[in-house]
Amino acid sequence: MLYVILVTSILTSLYEFKKFKERQYVREIAFSSVLLIIGVILIILRIADVKLPTPLTGIQFLFQPASRLLTEMLS
């Protein structure tokens, strides 16, 4: 399964980057590469059964101090 994902992502990136290179879209190549690498890493971690945090955990981490502050101010 891992090899299928890696081969598919490599073939897709080669196909897309060929078009970008013809039009000389350097920023698009860099941005697409970063997103592709992040996606492949997340898929590999998911296959390896690594417990990944949910986006809700990050939202709670960001807004919990503000919530406490508002609760103290209003009580």
Side-chain angles (χ1 to χ4, degrees), residues 56-70:
L56 183 59
T57 307
I59 293 170
Q60 287 175 340
F61 178 76
L62 289 175
F63 289 108
Q64 193 170 20
S67 173
R68 279 192 223 136
L69 180 65
L70 286 174

Side-chain angles (χ1 to χ4, degrees), residues 30-54:
F31 189 70
S32 297
S33 298
V34 169
L35 289 178
L36 181 69
I37 289 169
I38 291 171
V40 169
I41 289 171
L42 288 174
I43 289 172
I44 291 171
L45 290 174
R46 182 70 182 222
I47 290 172
D49 289 329
V50 174
K51 184 152 178 125
L52 298 172
T54 65

